[in-house]
Amino acid sequence: GTNLSANTRKGSNKWAERQGIADLRHQLLPRTTGLQFCLQELKGTVDWVYDCTVAYEGIPRDGYGQDYFTLRSTYFQGRPPKSVNMYWRRFAVSSIPVDDIKAFEKWLMERWLEKEDLLEQYVQNGRFPADEGHDSEGEPAINGGAGGGVSQGAGFIETEVKVAHWVEVGQIFVVLCAFALLANVLAKHQASARVSNLPEPLFTMAPLTNGYTNGHTRALASDTSVADVRFSDIPSAIDIPVSGGQDAEEAVEVNLEELLDDPTELCTLLENEGAARNFWMVISLAYAKQRKVDHAIEMLIKGLGALSKGGPKEKLGLLSCLCWLYLWKSREAPRVMPEGQLVSEARTKDFYLQAATGSLNEASRINPSFPPLFLARGVLYLLRASLQPPSKPLAPGSVDHSERVETLRQALKCFEDASRVSGGRNMMAILGKSRAQFSLGKYAEALDGYQEVLMKMPDLRDPDPRIGVGCCLWQLGYRDEARDAWERALEINFDSKIANILLGLYYINESSHYATTDSAFAPIYKKAMTQYTQRAFKLDKELPLTCATFGGYFLPRKAWSTVENLARKAIELTDVNAIASDGWYLLARKEHYQEHPDLSKASDFYGRADNARGGGDKGYLPARFGSAQIQILLQDFDGAKFRLEKIIQHSKNLEAMILLGTLYAEDFFANQATGSKEDKSTEQKKAIALLEAVRMAWKDPKRNLTPDTAVLVCLSRLYEVDQSEKSLQCLQQVEQMAIDDIPDGDRPDDVDDEEILMARLREQLPPQLLNNIGCFQYQSEKYDIARDMFQTALTACIRAGEKNDALDTDALVTTISYNLARTYEAAGLLDEANQVYQGLLARHQDYTDARTRVAYIALRQNPTEDGPKAIAALYETDSTNLEVRSLFGWYLSRSKKRTTNIAEDQEQRHYKHTLQHHDKHDRYSLTGMGNLYLTTAREMRRDTDQDKEKRRKMYEKAVEFYDKALQLDPRNAYAAQGIAIALIEDKKDFKEALQIFSKIRDTLRDASVYINLGHTYVEIKQYSRSIESYEAALSKDRLNDPQILACLGRVWLMRGKQEHSIQAMKNSLDYSNRALEIAPEQIHFKFNIAFVQIQLASLVYSLPEHQRTLQEVQSASDGLDEAIESLTLIAQSKNPPYPKHDIEQRANMGRNTMRRQLERSIQSQKEYEEKNATKLQQAREVREAETRKREEERFKAEEVALEQKKKIAEERHKMLEISRQLAEKRAEEERRKEEAEYTEDEETGERVKRKKKKASAKRKKKGEVTDTDGDGEGDGAEGGRKTRRKSTTDNSALATSDEERAPKKRRKLATRKNAAKDSGKIKSSEIVVDSDESDGDVGGVQANGNEAPAATNGAEADPDTMMEDGDEDEEAVQRPRKKISRRIADDDDDEDEEADAAPLTPNGEGEEDEEDPDTNSNVFADGEDAPMVDATVGGAGDEDAAEY
């Protein structure tokens, strides 16, 4: 076979492209010719073909086995595959189409695709599917074989492959060892002459004892402490020859383990005896070994002076060593000059780097190609780059040429030169190269270098390349793999301070994924600080990274001095800019969080922390966020916003988004509080966008974020004005969070009912929250829910007062009780509301709002006696209160005597006095004045041009008052409605008025808006929308309002005349009768009924025979008789709605002309129906047959659909059962896998979790033949095992045909289309047939010649809303109607519709009185009712007398 490799993969891809097929991922495409030939030859002698699919554990996806498992890795490095997995199948040769090339190619490709699926399953699950057994026909049980009697499968077969005797291992290497011995003999002869001439080694390299790339082995050398310990080649003592040189008999022995504190005596000895440079270097290194680096430097400097008379090459080694010691001192020296130290005495990192540069330059002048100098120069450049500021942000595509980057590039070149001259054997050069690449951000290349060192020197631990491997993996996003590398470093060297602190940082990062209140946070954070960080600090208290980390631990504990000390150490001792940035950040936070912070210092420290990491967009985000906080404390809000916007632009940081959103929200709230006219809608939108983005981030399960109640409360306030539903949702989320936070001990255990349990839990919540939720429920007209909320809030006040004595519970109880009473009042429970108000007044006698509501309730319950007295008493005691004056003005509008002179109007005088002497900006008074002028203008005469001009000016005066009210309160819907009415009545501007009504419809929850909308739609002949508006008005607690019912009768009449619809006329008659039933004393309602009956009779007479029935004609005739009788009685009444003569004339016309016409229509209709009775019967039978057929088809379709649903349900049940079984199997596999991840520790015997290992590239064993190359993922748990586990599965005749595979079923859900598609309408549950005109035709409709006086006046404002802010948003509710089937007949003869326009109703800032329709003497009843009249009758009398 051909191995799967990068080269063969290319060939397979090219072949697939030529053949036009898809290439495989885990295999090469099969070759058919050879296999077909073999099968043809063996067909008579072989019965079965066995197929084996092989997968090796430890190969990642898309990896190639030959690159991972080679002879070297398997036999020399002890890293064979941990398991070889095999999946066996067999196929009968007789079933294979070997004689048909096309069929054989298809058959073979199908098998290869099955093998591809098997390999993909192995890659995903780590093993092949188990053998589940077979049925009696040989089909696999897992595929649901057709036969019965399923046999028991073998499942997984696992076994170990091992040698029978250890001698077999030696037999493998017999030939190789023979060649090695021969080569060794020859090499000794050639190398013996050169061994004595080798220079002294400058570095001691650890031997290669095993081949594990990350040291994953339990078989380390028994004593590795000497292999990589620095200065291990320094002897314990040295003999310095005297007088006679090295060959002399006398010598001075110097104990290098107990050196003198003052090296002067040793220097004098070496100078006097003329010691060679080796002695100077050994003693200096002995001092360095004891960390007396200053003495070592002094020794080398004096040694250079002593050897100055010799050749320059004698000084080369000393200069190189001196350079390294200076570099050592540089790493330990402070980064900045300590406070209080003289500049001349300061020994900073830069000082020692300059000294190292001088030594290095002097050595380079002697021999620039001296190999150790390349390495030293690279380290010098690295340390110098650490002191240089980070590069600034660059434009995309540009190259960074900053000083720091150029220095790192020079360091990289030096390390490459050092590696090159050593032939790649200098591990320190490779480590330095990786360190430079890491600093340049080339983490993948750096990782390769560290891994190379680890492969060549697996026991190296000082420096430990595993630290670099972990850092690279961390930067590449492999956090858990980085932890594994550091843990391995800690296993090898338990006292590794770097590994300890890095592991501590890993677990600190892990703890940041949980809230501090989460139970999972504390164990992880404790492990990070006590197990790792604290140990690292004990090992080295001067390590900058540990100091910076520990400083963050002491900061929330307010140990300011400790934080200061640790932060200064981190800044002064580090040679890493990021650690210095952390130190400055600690100092900034220390200054920021103190009780009396020094904001200037904090701002400076934040700036330094940011600049240490590059500043700008590349800087330190927490430092920039802290700077924004400082700017807020300094009242520099614009600067803080700009800084936060820059942060969000590059990082989408949630804390920055919350802070910026809060700043914008505060701008909006402050503008609201001051009543400024400045538009802050942009700030509101920005705040909502930012806080909603934060809210969406909470829903991401990967981020594991805890919602912040402050954000939700802020969002609720932002939504409060325009979107009360969203505001309520935010508060409900806060409520749910508060309930979830209630401890289990405080939860009631004896409550099973869910509603009762929730009510008991709410009692433990803040009463302010419950009160706000109740207010929103009140605005949504959900009075029962609001009442429950307020009652629960009162109970919560008592609990809150018991827990917090400082809480002002009296104020809370007063406010919540008042809201509860308003809820009772809105729900019609006036007695309960009055009782609560009286209780408030008992505790607070001067509570004006409560006294106002009590007076209003008295007026509603007894409008003739107690009500007026209560209003008068209230006004007398508190006439200066604007709310009281508003209620009194509303009372005057209902009880005053009408007058044509506005100057004499009591209500006008009252509002004028309020504006002149109390508050010239009182919005209620301004709106009331506008209503008065509007009503007066409507009632003025229009006979002459002078009258019309006076009327126009009166309208302009009304608009001026409305406009003034809107300037003070742009959300005053009542004033806006008044302007819309003036536009219609004065200028006939229906289009503009309709836009205004539509805008305030959802803001002002009052029936008057819908009434005016209905009037407007009638004027532009959009009768369908007019009907919807009137019915919406009826749903607003106006079901018994005769005026609205009369308006509905009128609009149905006009629609019937337009569409020639008898049914519409009947609807008109029905509404007219309902209006008369409610107000039987109103004579004009009787006239309306008679008028509709006459119009219905006229319509029936005008329709052809095929569009009417005999019953309809007879009914119209009976109605005509009733109308004639009613008109006769109305004409004889005391105050008829129209002149008596006109009404009698209408009755006579019906009695003489129309009655005879209907009699003739009855006769003709009888003849027509008798003549066509047979045809009608046949048509009826056909229609009934079609109806029955449709019903049968519908019934059959329902049966089919029901059967389909049952079938789908059964299939879904089967799928769920299969899913459950698979889940159980998967859980069992996970359990087994988890058990397999544990092994027995060789040293302690305990069960411990296996460690993962990194797999490196190996070549595939030569001569290894497999049908397919598997690919899998190793867990790296068993490092040094030399046995293999082989997993096999024996399945015979496993292949199944494509026809046996059940196809996946797809179901498409059908959606029901809405009946009403016009989104501009208020939706109901029915289909409404609109008139031919739409909203777009508003501007083109001509107004008729009659004017539209008002039926009710907008000055009748309801105190229920006048006591609240006028800018509360509320939504309209549409009452659903039943679908009305209509029969429309086209007729070119349009009848005259010259009835006057219906009155428009502006409502003041309050709610209308709910009058008793049976009490005719109620002074609070609405204005006169409007009768429906014919155009001819209206023309006979005064045109202003008509209400329509």
Side-chain angles (χ1 to χ4, degrees):
T2 303
N3 287 341
L4 180 64
S5 64
N7 292 331
T8 56
R9 166 61 65 205
K10 295 178 182 177
S12 181
N13 285 334
K14 292 179 180 179
W15 174 258
E17 291 176 0
R18 287 199 299 268
Q19 297 298 320
I21 60 177
D23 194 13
L24 303 179
R25 183 170 186 177
H26 303 297
Q27 310 169 91
L28 301 176
L29 289 172
R31 298 179 180 180
T32 59
T33 305
L35 181 59
Q36 185 184 16
F37 175 77
C38 293
L39 290 176
Q40 286 175 343
E41 295 297 321
L42 298 173
K43 189 173 183 181
T45 59
V46 176
D47 295 329
W48 299 92
V49 174
Y50 287 85
D51 169 61
C52 179
T53 304
V54 184
Y56 299 98
E57 182 178 354
I59 303 176
R61 181 184 290 275
D62 298 329
Y64 305 115
Q66 68 174 18
D67 298 335
Y68 287 84
F69 302 120
T70 63
L71 290 175
R72 179 182 178 183
S73 67
T74 302
Y75 296 109
F76 292 99
Q77 297 178 347
R79 288 190 298 103
K82 290 197 295 183
S83 67
V84 180
N85 299 267
M86 301 180 185
Y87 191 90
W88 288 93
R89 302 186 295 177
R90 71 175 183 175
F91 304 96
V93 176
S94 59
S95 66
I96 302 174
V98 296
D99 297 326
D100 186 346
I101 181 63
K102 296 296 183 184
F104 180 75
E105 288 179 353
K106 180 181 179 182
W107 180 87
L108 187 61
M109 194 62 193
E110 289 175 352
R111 303 291 79 76
W112 239 251
L113 292 174
E114 291 169 359
K115 292 159 73 67
E116 183 76 6
D117 294 339
L118 290 171
L119 289 170
E120 178 62 27
Q121 184 171 352
Y122 177 82
V123 171
Q124 294 180 2
N125 303 324
R127 63 195 316 171
F128 289 122
D131 176 19
E132 301 292 342
H134 302 79
D135 58 23
S136 58
E137 297 183 3
E139 295 294 334
I142 193 172
N143 292 334
V150 177
S151 63
Q152 180 66 33
F156 292 103
I157 300 175
E158 296 188 3
T159 183
E160 289 187 345
V161 178
K162 55 187 178 181
V163 297
H165 194 273
W166 65 270
V167 177
E168 294 180 5
V169 179
Q171 293 174 352
I172 299 175
F173 301 100
V174 169
V175 179
L176 185 61
C177 291
F179 279 106
L181 289 174
L182 181 60
N184 185 42
V185 172
L186 295 176
K188 285 184 177 180
H189 288 286
Q190 296 178 0
S192 58
R194 293 178 295 174
V195 172
S196 59
N197 296 327
L198 288 175
E200 295 181 14
L202 293 177
F203 299 95
T204 301
M205 299 179 63
L208 182 65
T209 59
N210 64 73
Y212 281 84
T213 58
N214 199 21
H216 270 281
T217 177
R218 302 297 179 187
L220 287 174
S222 58
D223 184 13
T224 60
S225 61
V226 182
D228 59 350
V229 175
R230 300 187 186 187
F231 306 107
S232 59
D233 57 343
I234 302 300
S236 60
I238 188 174
D239 292 334
I240 302 175
V242 296
S243 302
Q246 293 184 5
D247 296 332
E249 296 179 359
E250 296 183 4
V252 177
E253 182 181 355
V254 177
N255 187 352
L256 297 181
E257 294 180 352
E258 297 179 359
L259 292 170
L260 300 175
D261 292 336
D262 187 358
T264 304
E265 185 176 346
L266 286 175
C267 292
T268 303
L269 174 63
L270 294 175
E271 289 174 356
N272 292 338
E273 301 301 332
R277 63 180 176 87
N278 290 345
F279 294 102
W280 289 95
M281 289 185 62
V282 170
I283 296 176
S284 298
L285 292 176
Y287 272 114
K289 183 178 180 180
Q290 299 177 15
R291 305 192 66 84
K292 299 177 181 179
V293 185
D294 292 331
H295 295 340
I297 292 174
E298 183 180 352
M299 287 285 298
L300 290 175
I301 293 174
K302 290 185 178 181
L304 287 171
L307 298 174
S308 60
K309 297 178 181 180
K313 292 186 178 180
E314 290 291 325
K315 301 168 60 177
L316 191 58
L318 295 180
L319 288 171
S320 175
C321 186
L322 182 61
C323 176
W324 282 107
L325 292 178
Y326 278 135
L327 294 176
W328 186 351
K329 288 291 292 183
S330 173
R331 296 209 62 186
E332 295 181 347
R335 185 185 185 92
V336 294
M337 184 179 64
E339 295 181 1
Q341 189 173 6
L342 298 177
V343 177
S344 59
E345 299 177 355
R347 296 293 185 266
T348 60
K349 293 181 180 295
D350 186 64
F351 171 83
Y352 287 108
L353 287 180
Q354 291 180 8
T357 304
S359 300
L360 192 60
N361 290 339
E362 186 176 352
S364 297
R365 284 193 291 269
I366 298 174
N367 184 4
S369 61
F370 186 51
L373 298 185
F374 293 115
L375 189 63
R377 192 174 296 277
V379 175
L380 175 63
Y381 281 131
L382 270 181
L383 294 177
R384 185 175 293 168
S386 69
L387 300 180
Q388 294 168 348
S391 58
K392 299 297 181 181
L394 299 174
S398 58
V399 181
D400 192 352
H401 292 289
S402 62
E403 182 182 9
R404 179 175 180 273
V405 172
E406 289 299 329
T407 303
L408 289 172
R409 288 173 183 159
Q410 290 176 354
L412 183 61
K413 183 179 181 303
C414 291
F415 290 128
E416 289 175 346
D417 291 340
S419 178
R420 175 177 48 81
V421 298
S422 68
R425 295 190 300 273
N426 191 333
M427 297 298 103
M428 298 299 111
I430 299 176
L431 287 174
K433 177 181 176 182
S434 299
R435 181 65 179 85
Q437 289 171 329
F438 184 90
S439 299
L440 288 169
K442 301 177 181 180
Y443 305 117
E445 292 88 338
L447 178 61
D448 293 339
Y450 286 123
Q451 288 177 333
E452 180 184 354
V453 174
L454 201 55
M455 288 182 64
K456 294 180 178 179
M457 296 185 65
D459 290 339
L460 180 63
R461 64 176 187 176
D462 187 18
D464 194 341
R466 299 166 190 82
I467 300 296
V469 168
C471 292
C472 293
L473 290 172
W474 181 277
Q475 293 294 344
L476 291 172
Y478 301 100
R479 304 293 173 86
D480 293 338
E481 289 78 1
R483 177 204 59 198
D484 294 341
W486 295 331
E487 286 180 345
R488 179 56 184 158
L490 200 59
E491 289 177 8
I492 295 175
N493 182 10
F494 187 67
D495 292 333
S496 173
K497 55 188 177 183
I498 301 297
N500 273 289
I501 188 57
L502 289 176
L503 283 170
L505 290 174
Y506 169 83
Y507 286 106
I508 289 175
N509 180 72
E510 285 296 303
S511 67
S512 66
H513 298 160
Y514 303 92
T516 54
T517 56
D518 196 325
S519 59
F521 171 81
I524 300 176
Y525 187 74
K526 183 178 180 181
K527 182 177 183 180
M529 299 309 299
T530 59
Q531 184 174 343
Y532 294 111
T533 306
Q534 188 175 19
R535 175 165 178 77
F537 188 73
K538 289 179 179 179
L539 291 171
D540 186 358
K541 296 182 179 180
E542 306 297 323
L543 185 64
L545 181 57
T546 307
C547 293
T549 307
F550 239 155
Y553 173 79
F554 287 106
L555 188 67
R557 289 159 178 77
K558 298 183 179 181
W560 307 126
S561 59
T562 305
V563 174
E564 174 87 16
N565 184 31
L566 293 172
R568 291 293 179 184
K569 285 184 179 181
I571 296 169
E572 294 173 359
L573 301 179
T574 186
D575 51 11
V576 179
N577 286 321
I579 299 176
S581 174
D582 290 340
W584 289 118
Y585 181 69
L586 282 174
L587 291 178
R589 292 183 66 192
K590 179 186 78 75
E591 294 294 339
H592 188 176
Y593 295 145
Q594 289 187 18
E595 186 176 354
H596 302 289
D598 189 340
L599 299 182
S600 60
K601 273 189 178 183
S603 179
D604 177 55
F605 291 151
Y606 279 132
R608 294 192 182 192
D610 186 35
N611 292 330
R613 276 186 163 93
D617 299 336
K618 291 178 60 177
Y620 192 30
L621 190 147
R624 284 185 285 161
F625 184 77
S627 296
Q629 291 178 312
I630 295 298
Q631 286 179 306
I632 293 173
L633 294 177
L634 294 173
Q635 305 297 313
D636 182 13
F637 299 114
D638 292 336
K641 291 176 186 175
F642 178 77
R643 188 180 295 272
L644 291 170
E645 284 174 350
K646 297 292 279 185
I647 293 175
I648 295 170
Q649 184 178 354
H650 295 91
S651 68
K652 302 299 181 183
N653 179 266
L654 294 184
E655 287 77 8
M657 294 171 74
I658 292 174
L659 184 56
L660 181 59
T662 305
L663 288 176
Y664 282 128
E666 289 300 327
D667 287 347
F668 177 71
F669 298 149
N671 188 68
Q672 274 187 326
T674 58
S676 174
K677 298 179 181 179
E678 186 179 358
D679 185 16
K680 291 291 184 179
S681 59
T682 303
E683 284 76 4
Q684 181 190 16
K685 293 177 181 177
K686 287 182 179 180
I688 290 175
L690 290 167
L691 297 181
E692 279 293 352
V694 174
R695 194 178 178 190
M696 288 298 296
W698 295 341
K699 299 178 182 179
D700 187 357
K702 297 181 180 178
R703 306 183 73 168
N704 196 21
L705 299 173
T706 302
D708 187 353
T709 56
V711 173
L712 293 171
V713 171
C714 188
L715 266 175
S716 177
R717 293 182 63 190
L718 290 168
Y719 283 132
E720 181 178 350
V721 176
D722 299 320
Q723 304 179 62
S724 57
E725 290 183 357
K726 290 187 176 181
S727 181
L728 176 59
Q729 290 174 4
C730 294
L731 292 180
Q732 288 175 336
Q733 187 175 352
V734 174
E735 177 193 30
Q736 187 60 47
M737 291 170 58
I739 291 175
D740 294 339
D741 291 339
I742 296 176
D744 294 337
D746 295 340
R747 293 176 178 267
D749 299 330
D750 55 344
V751 179
D752 296 331
D753 187 84
E754 189 68 25
E755 294 183 1
I756 299 177
L757 176 62
M758 186 59 66
R760 295 276 296 275
L761 290 175
R762 284 195 179 110
E763 293 176 357
Q764 304 182 45
L765 303 185
Q768 300 91 332
L769 174 63
L770 299 173
N771 178 68
N772 291 341
I773 295 176
C775 290
F776 281 112
Q777 298 288 8
Y778 175 88
Q779 290 182 5
S780 301
E781 299 182 356
K782 299 176 181 178
Y783 302 125
D784 293 338
I785 300 176
R787 182 174 65 249
D788 294 340
M789 279 292 177
F790 291 136
Q791 291 173 345
T792 306
L794 289 174
T795 306
C797 281
I798 300 174
R799 286 176 173 264
E802 294 173 353
K803 295 180 180 179
N804 185 6
D805 296 337
L807 183 66
D808 188 0
T809 55
D810 181 69
L812 282 174
V813 170
T814 301
T815 301
I816 298 171
S817 298
Y818 180 81
N819 293 338
L820 176 62
R822 289 302 308 273
T823 306
Y824 280 132
E825 196 174 344
L829 305 174
L830 299 182
D831 293 336
E832 290 82 351
N834 190 47
Q835 183 178 358
V836 176
Y837 288 135
Q838 295 294 348
L840 288 173
L841 291 174
R843 292 190 296 113
H844 302 283
Q845 297 181 0
D846 56 346
Y847 196 175
T848 304
D849 290 341
R851 296 176 62 235
T852 303
R853 301 313 302 177
V854 168
Y856 174 71
I857 291 175
L859 189 62
R860 289 186 61 180
Q861 292 179 332
N862 194 341
T864 57
E865 296 181 3
D866 296 339
K869 293 180 182 179
I871 292 290
L874 175 66
Y875 185 73
E876 183 179 354
T877 56
D878 200 355
S879 61
T880 60
N881 186 281
L882 292 178
E883 301 295 339
V884 174
R885 297 189 66 85
S886 298
L887 177 63
F888 191 72
W890 174 82
Y891 168 72
L892 291 176
S893 69
R894 296 301 182 96
S895 60
K896 68 181 180 180
K897 293 182 179 180
R898 303 294 175 183
T899 177
T900 57
N901 187 358
I902 193 172
E904 298 177 357
D905 190 277
Q906 295 180 352
E907 185 183 5
Q908 188 265 355
R909 291 179 179 177
H910 174 75
Y911 291 143
K912 187 175 181 180
H913 186 271
T914 301
L915 294 172
Q916 289 179 345
H917 301 285
H918 296 279
D919 184 4
K920 64 180 180 179
H921 299 307
D922 181 36
R923 293 169 294 176
Y924 188 89
S925 297
L926 290 171
T927 305
M929 290 289 285
N931 292 337
L932 284 172
Y933 279 98
L934 186 68
T935 304
T936 303
R938 184 184 297 126
E939 296 173 355
M940 292 178 66
R941 300 184 62 84
R942 289 157 282 180
D943 298 337
T944 64
D945 293 340
Q946 186 177 3
D947 293 338
K948 293 179 180 178
E949 180 65 19
K950 290 181 180 179
R951 185 171 181 266
R952 184 185 63 79
K953 290 183 179 180
M954 193 65 69
Y955 275 118
E956 291 179 352
K957 191 71 173 175
V959 171
E960 288 179 6
F961 281 107
Y962 288 140
D963 185 63
K964 180 64 175 177
L966 285 173
Q967 290 179 12
L968 296 171
D969 180 14
R971 308 183 66 84
N972 190 331
Y974 299 102
Q977 186 173 218
I979 291 177
I981 295 173
L983 287 173
I984 292 177
E985 295 182 354
D986 183 31
K987 299 181 179 181
K988 303 298 180 184
D989 189 352
F990 298 106
K991 182 177 181 180
E992 185 67 25
L994 190 61
Q995 292 179 356
I996 296 175
F997 285 137
S998 299
K999 288 182 179 180
I1000 65 176
R1001 176 177 52 195
D1002 297 333
T1003 302
L1004 183 60
R1005 292 174 177 266
D1006 191 82
S1008 62
V1009 182
Y1010 294 95
I1011 294 173
N1012 291 333
L1013 273 171
H1015 293 344
T1016 308
Y1017 282 127
V1018 167
E1019 293 299 323
I1020 61 178
K1021 298 183 180 180
Q1022 293 189 18
Y1023 301 125
S1024 297
R1025 294 190 176 184
S1026 176
I1027 291 170
E1028 287 182 359
S1029 299
Y1030 286 137
E1031 290 183 345
L1034 277 179
S1035 66
K1036 296 289 183 181
D1037 297 330
R1038 302 285 288 271
L1039 293 176
N1040 297 323
D1041 192 328
Q1043 291 288 356
I1044 302 177
L1045 293 171
C1047 290
L1048 277 167
R1050 171 177 174 265
V1051 70
W1052 274 113
L1053 174 66
M1054 298 177 72
R1055 180 172 178 174
K1057 290 171 68 177
Q1058 182 189 56
E1059 299 176 357
H1060 301 284
S1061 171
I1062 296 177
Q1063 184 60 45
M1065 290 288 190
K1066 291 180 178 179
N1067 291 340
S1068 174
L1069 185 61
D1070 178 61
Y1071 280 114
S1072 300
N1073 282 319
R1074 287 174 59 186
L1076 182 63
E1077 290 175 1
I1078 295 173
E1081 74 284 351
Q1082 300 293 338
I1083 193 171
H1084 54 269
F1085 286 163
K1086 296 180 181 179
F1087 180 86
N1088 290 345
I1089 294 173
F1091 182 76
V1092 173
Q1093 288 172 332
I1094 291 175
Q1095 294 296 325
L1096 177 60
S1098 177
L1099 176 64
V1100 169
Y1101 170 74
S1102 64
L1103 292 176
E1105 286 85 353
H1106 66 276
Q1107 293 183 3
R1108 66 190 184 188
T1109 64
L1110 179 62
Q1111 182 180 359
E1112 290 174 344
V1113 179
Q1114 186 65 48
S1115 176
S1117 178
D1118 296 341
L1120 179 62
D1121 293 339
E1122 294 178 4
I1124 294 171
E1125 183 179 355
S1126 297
L1127 290 175
T1128 303
L1129 295 176
I1130 292 171
Q1132 297 174 0
S1133 63
K1134 184 177 181 181
N1135 295 313
Y1138 290 96
K1140 179 179 180 181
H1141 176 267
D1142 293 340
I1143 298 175
E1144 290 176 347
Q1145 183 179 357
R1146 169 64 69 177
N1148 291 332
M1149 183 182 67
R1151 186 180 297 108
N1152 299 326
T1153 305
M1154 296 185 66
R1155 179 177 289 174
R1156 288 195 295 270
Q1157 290 175 346
L1158 286 178
E1159 289 175 354
R1160 290 195 297 270
S1161 296
I1162 292 172
Q1163 185 63 30
S1164 63
Q1165 190 69 24
K1166 284 182 179 180
E1167 295 175 356
Y1168 172 79
E1169 292 186 2
E1170 290 174 357
K1171 180 180 180 180
N1172 295 281
T1174 305
K1175 294 181 180 179
L1176 291 174
Q1177 181 63 26
Q1178 292 176 355
R1180 189 177 298 107
E1181 290 176 357
V1182 171
R1183 188 163 55 251
E1184 291 176 355
E1186 291 177 353
T1187 302
R1188 285 195 300 271
K1189 183 178 180 180
R1190 284 196 298 268
E1191 287 294 324
E1192 291 175 358
E1193 292 176 353
R1194 183 180 62 82
F1195 181 73
K1196 291 179 180 179
E1198 289 179 353
E1199 288 184 343
V1200 172
L1202 183 60
E1203 185 67 25
Q1204 186 69 16
K1205 287 182 180 179
K1206 290 181 179 178
K1207 187 176 180 181
I1208 292 172
E1210 292 175 357
E1211 292 178 355
R1212 184 181 292 116
H1213 180 72
K1214 292 179 181 178
M1215 293 172 63
L1216 290 174
E1217 183 64 23
I1218 294 173
S1219 299
R1220 184 187 63 78
Q1221 294 176 0
L1222 291 176
E1224 292 177 355
K1225 292 180 180 179
R1226 191 178 297 111
E1228 181 64 21
E1229 292 176 359
E1230 290 293 333
R1231 185 186 63 78
R1232 293 178 181 176
K1233 185 177 179 180
E1234 184 177 352
E1235 291 179 355
E1237 288 181 353
Y1238 286 84
T1239 185
E1240 187 172 300
D1241 190 279
E1242 295 181 357
E1243 298 179 359
T1244 62
E1246 298 178 354
R1247 287 183 60 81
V1248 296
K1249 192 172 183 180
R1250 300 179 189 272
K1251 299 294 182 179
K1252 293 184 179 181
K1253 67 174 183 175
K1254 298 290 292 183
S1256 63
K1258 290 103 191 162
R1259 301 187 62 83
K1260 191 168 183 177
K1261 185 170 65 177
K1262 185 175 180 180
E1264 197 170 0
V1265 180
T1266 60
D1267 286 344
T1268 62
D1269 284 335
D1271 122 1
E1273 297 175 5
D1275 57 7
E1278 299 178 67
R1281 296 177 55 185
K1282 295 185 179 180
T1283 60
R1284 305 182 189 177
R1285 290 182 290 108
K1286 181 170 66 176
S1287 174
T1288 63
T1289 305
D1290 245 342
N1291 287 339
S1292 300
L1294 188 61
T1296 58
S1297 62
D1298 292 340
E1299 290 78 13
E1300 292 176 350
R1301 297 181 181 177
K1304 295 183 178 178
K1305 297 184 178 294
R1306 295 183 178 179
R1307 295 188 297 112
K1308 185 175 182 181
L1309 298 176
T1311 58
R1312 295 179 59 189
K1313 295 183 179 179
N1314 295 328
K1317 295 182 179 179
D1318 187 357
S1319 60
K1321 299 179 180 180
I1322 299 177
K1323 299 295 178 63
S1324 65
S1325 60
E1326 65 184 6
I1327 301 175
V1328 179
V1329 180
D1330 291 345
S1331 61
D1332 293 337
E1333 290 131 26
S1334 62
D1335 285 342
D1337 300 327
V1338 173
V1341 177
Q1342 267 191 333
N1344 58 28
N1346 295 329
E1347 300 295 331
T1352 59
N1353 191 285
E1356 300 165 1
D1358 193 342
D1360 279 3
T1361 56
M1362 89 181 167
M1363 301 303 295
E1364 301 173 352
D1365 292 335
D1367 57 353
E1368 293 179 354
D1369 294 337
E1370 298 179 356
E1371 296 183 356
V1373 180
Q1374 174 72 11
R1375 190 186 68 168
R1377 297 182 285 112
K1378 296 183 178 179
K1379 180 178 178 181
I1380 303 174
S1381 60
R1382 301 176 178 84
R1383 184 177 62 211
I1384 303 175
D1386 295 329
D1387 194 344
D1388 295 335
D1389 186 14
D1390 295 336
E1391 296 193 19
D1392 185 24
E1393 301 174 358
E1394 296 298 327
D1396 285 348
L1400 300 176
T1401 310
N1403 203 339
E1405 294 185 355
E1407 61 190 24
E1408 295 184 3
D1409 180 40
E1410 299 178 1
E1411 71 273 16
D1412 185 0
D1414 297 329
T1415 307
N1416 196 24
S1417 61
N1418 189 351
V1419 297
F1420 302 104
D1422 289 331
E1424 295 181 359
D1425 298 316
M1428 292 182 290
V1429 298
D1430 186 65
T1432 56
V1433 178
D1438 183 7
E1439 65 176 354
D1440 287 333
E1443 290 291 331
Y1444 282 92

